[in-house]
Amino acid sequence: MKKVFDNDWQEILQEEFEKPYYQNLRNFIAKEYSTNIVYPPIDEVMSAFYTVPYKEVKVVILGQDPYHGPGQAHGMCFSVKPGVPHPPSLRNIFIELQHDLGCPIPKDGYLMKWAKQGVFLLNTVLTVRQGQANSHQGMGWEQFTDAVIEKLAQREDPIVFVLWGRPAQMKRAIIEKNGSHHTILQAPHPSPLSAHRGFFGSRPFSKINAQLIAWGKEPIDWCLE
């Protein structure tokens, strides 16, 4: 099987790529892309992995499945390409960022600057049909991303895991089972349905940076403009 990644994720996940469920998932995804409109573009499905090598992950932000509108998803949770209007959840993330750290609301919702500093923006499901949220649930992605979370939790170098919303918080057990030295931050999801139940005011960005500094790591420059 050809290499998926040109960084240390390849070795970390090699066993996973060889498991029957992953082969089935690959076949399913190939068929979906050939018969439906699927997001993100196929060469961007693994963008989070290409951008942040395993050993460089400092923060994990966990999303659900990709945005399902045209031009939005590009393989990093919550992020959209430059020029794409901010989806509601991302708008609320930027509102909280402004309240927390004083960062101005950016024009673009492209979170590549965060990723370049070691923020791993992982969805639990990595593909979706156009206009059909959660349409690729239960096809194997969850098993794959659970394995990714497990590998990260097994790392000796500590990580801040950010779990917004119930699906993300269900992964807490995987993290705690594999490493008690990490920090886990939980809050309601930033979507308009739940942001007012405790996401607003949770100050995740300053908490992440305080923990990174306590570990002797470089804090994240969260401001995008």
Side-chain angles (χ1 to χ4, degrees):
M1 179 181 168
K2 71 173 187 175
K3 284 176 68 174
V4 181
F5 305 120
D6 286 324
N7 58 26
D8 55 2
W9 280 114
Q10 184 65 38
E11 185 179 348
I12 295 292
L13 295 172
Q14 186 61 48
E15 276 184 40
E16 219 57 34
F17 295 144
E18 294 167 2
K19 291 181 179 177
Y21 89 87
Y22 191 82
Q23 301 303 316
N24 292 337
L25 172 62
R26 276 175 56 91
N27 293 337
F28 166 75
I29 293 302
K31 185 176 180 186
E32 281 288 285
Y33 274 92
S34 67
T35 56
N36 295 284
I37 298 174
V38 177
Y39 300 126
I42 197 161
D43 60 341
E44 295 183 339
V45 171
M46 297 287 191
S47 289
F49 297 86
Y50 302 147
T51 310
V52 192
Y54 174 79
K55 66 179 182 300
E56 293 178 17
V57 174
K58 291 157 73 172
V59 180
V60 176
I61 297 179
L62 205 54
Q64 291 174 244
D65 68 340
Y67 297 127
H68 51 80
Q72 293 179 314
H74 67 94
M76 297 183 191
C77 72
F78 297 111
S79 180
V80 291
K81 285 281 186 73
V84 177
H86 301 169
S89 293
L90 183 59
R91 195 178 312 133
N92 287 339
I93 289 170
F94 288 151
I95 290 169
E96 179 60 20
L97 177 59
Q98 185 176 49
H99 290 161
D100 188 1
L101 296 178
C103 297
I105 305 285
K107 180 167 65 76
D108 287 323
Y110 192 44
L111 305 183
M112 181 62 78
K113 179 182 174 182
W114 295 2
K116 294 283 191 187
Q117 299 175 82
V119 180
F120 190 57
L121 299 162
L122 179 68
N123 278 314
T124 53
V125 174
L126 301 188
T127 54
V128 68
R129 281 188 190 177
Q130 178 178 322
Q132 298 180 45
N134 305 319
S135 49
H136 285 179
Q137 276 189 347
M139 297 299 175
W141 279 130
E142 294 91 343
Q143 187 171 344
F144 176 71
T145 54
D146 280 0
V148 170
I149 295 165
E150 182 177 49
K151 296 291 188 186
L152 287 164
Q154 289 169 349
R155 218 181 66 176
E156 285 186 30
D157 190 23
I159 295 168
V160 181
F161 288 88
V162 181
L163 310 180
W164 289 332
R166 189 161 295 166
Q169 289 161 14
M170 288 171 66
K171 310 302 181 185
R172 184 178 187 120
I174 300 173
I175 301 162
E176 291 180 333
K177 179 183 174 187
N178 288 280
S180 60
H181 56 301
H182 304 292
T183 289
I184 301 174
L185 300 179
Q186 286 193 188
H189 196 276
S191 85
L193 297 173
S194 53
H196 291 279
R197 297 185 201 143
F199 174 77
F200 289 137
S202 62
R203 306 198 64 185
F205 307 100
S206 57
K207 288 176 181 174
I208 291 166
N209 278 355
Q211 182 60 76
L212 292 175
I213 291 166
W215 285 335
K217 299 187 179 195
E218 189 75 22
I220 307 297
D221 177 7
W222 296 102
C223 295
L224 294 174
E225 290 182 0

